[in-house]
């Protein structure tokens, strides 16, 4: 197995990220391995992917559904690459699924937004894979039971490695309620009542 202490990072990864990186990297050490990291948005799937790639130590092929995500991956590569790899990061090729670019021999293939691979894109990638490839999927929403689920499983296996949302919310790393909050200023007349409510909440 891979211990979290063995994962290099100049900025420490969060504990749940360390666990996910170690589990995915261990799974990918197996011959012709395929696995999927499932985590909610904001959990750091992209950053984890770079650290997983550093341990697997192969050329990196990234495929994404949109041009905007191609640019996002290239931008994040500039930020995370040196953190994960040190002074000599490997080459990374990023393109869309629709581009159908061939994969480099022996590469680690990272499939972002992997839930899109239940139809034509997934079948196209399956046709390109050979025994020397390793495959890492990233998604927040696995297509459990949906049409094309068998294609997803064939690409990435049936036992994903998951980062669950509740512990992230508990530890303050995700705040899904923020989209539902509308900040307003209180009036002087409201302030005593708000202080009283605040005291009651603190007592609870």
């Amino acid at each position: 197995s891979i211990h979290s202490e063995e994962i290099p990072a100049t900025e420490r990864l969060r504990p749940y990220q360390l666990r996910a990186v170690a589990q995915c990297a261990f799974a990918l050490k197996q011959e012709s391995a395929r696995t999927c990291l499932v985590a909610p948005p904001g959990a750091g799937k992209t950053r984890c992917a770079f650290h997983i790639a550093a341990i697997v130590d192969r050329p990196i092929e990234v495929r994404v559904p949109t041009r905007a995500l191609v640019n996002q991956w290239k931008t994040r590569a500039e930020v995370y690459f040196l953190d994960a790899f040190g002074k000599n990061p490997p080459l990374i090729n990023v393109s869309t699924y629709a581009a159908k670019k061939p994969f480099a021999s022996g590469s680690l293939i990272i499939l972002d937004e992997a839930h899109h691979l239940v139809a034509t894109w997934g079948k196209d990638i399956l046709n390109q894979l050979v025994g020397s490839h390793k495959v890492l999927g990233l998604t927040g929403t696995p297509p459990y039971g949906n049409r094309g689920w068998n294609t997803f499983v064939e690409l990435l296996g049936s036992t994903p490695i998951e980062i669950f949302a509740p512990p992230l919310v508990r530890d303050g790393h995700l705040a899904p309620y923020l989209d539902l909050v509308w900040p307003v200023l209180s009036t002087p007349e409201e302030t005593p009542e708000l202080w009283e409510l605040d005291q009651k909440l603190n007592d609870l």
Side-chain angles (χ1 to χ4, degrees):
S1 64
I2 294 170
H3 299 288
S4 58
E5 298 81 21
E6 300 173 28
I7 300 169
T10 54
E11 293 181 23
R12 290 305 297 163
L13 295 168
R14 293 169 180 168
Y16 68 85
Q17 292 172 329
L18 285 169
R19 284 192 297 273
V21 169
Q23 289 174 327
C24 287
F26 179 72
L28 290 170
K29 287 288 186 180
Q30 314 311 309
E31 189 173 347
S32 302
R34 302 176 187 183
T35 192
C36 187
L37 174 59
V38 176
K45 290 188 291 293
T46 306
R47 187 172 183 211
C48 287
F50 283 121
H51 287 274
I52 294 163
I55 296 169
V56 174
D57 192 26
R58 287 169 170 245
I60 304 166
E61 297 276 356
V62 179
R63 296 295 181 268
V64 297
T66 65
R67 289 293 308 168
L69 280 171
V70 170
N71 295 332
Q72 187 179 97
W73 266 87
K74 289 179 178 178
T75 300
R76 290 183 177 177
E78 295 174 6
V79 176
Y80 296 142
F81 248 32
L82 289 179
D83 182 41
F85 289 93
K87 294 180 180 178
N88 299 304
L91 291 175
I92 176 172
N93 292 313
V94 186
S95 66
T96 62
Y97 292 121
K100 298 184 180 180
K101 289 188 177 178
F103 299 125
S105 176
S107 58
L108 170 64
I109 299 165
I110 300 174
L111 305 175
D112 197 11
E113 302 290 333
H115 50 276
H116 288 287
L117 300 173
V118 293
T120 306
W121 285 342
K123 291 173 183 174
D124 288 343
I125 287 173
L126 277 172
N127 290 334
Q128 292 185 61
L129 294 179
V130 297
S132 63
H133 290 132
K134 293 182 183 289
V135 185
L136 170 65
L138 305 173
T139 184
T141 53
Y144 294 120
N146 290 349
R147 188 176 178 182
W149 170 246
N150 290 341
T151 302
F152 184 88
V153 168
E154 196 174 349
L155 269 172
L156 301 168
S158 59
T159 53
I161 291 160
E162 296 193 52
I163 296 173
F164 296 101
L168 272 64
V169 175
R170 181 196 63 215
D171 295 342
H173 298 308
L174 286 181
Y177 58 83
L178 287 181
D179 290 340
L180 308 177
V181 173
W182 185 264
V184 294
L185 291 173
S186 61
T187 65
E189 293 77 22
E190 295 170 317
T191 303
E193 184 180 352
L194 290 171
W195 277 112
E196 184 180 345
L197 288 170
D198 181 64
Q199 184 60 52
K200 289 179 178 177
L201 285 170
N202 283 324
D203 290 344
L204 286 172

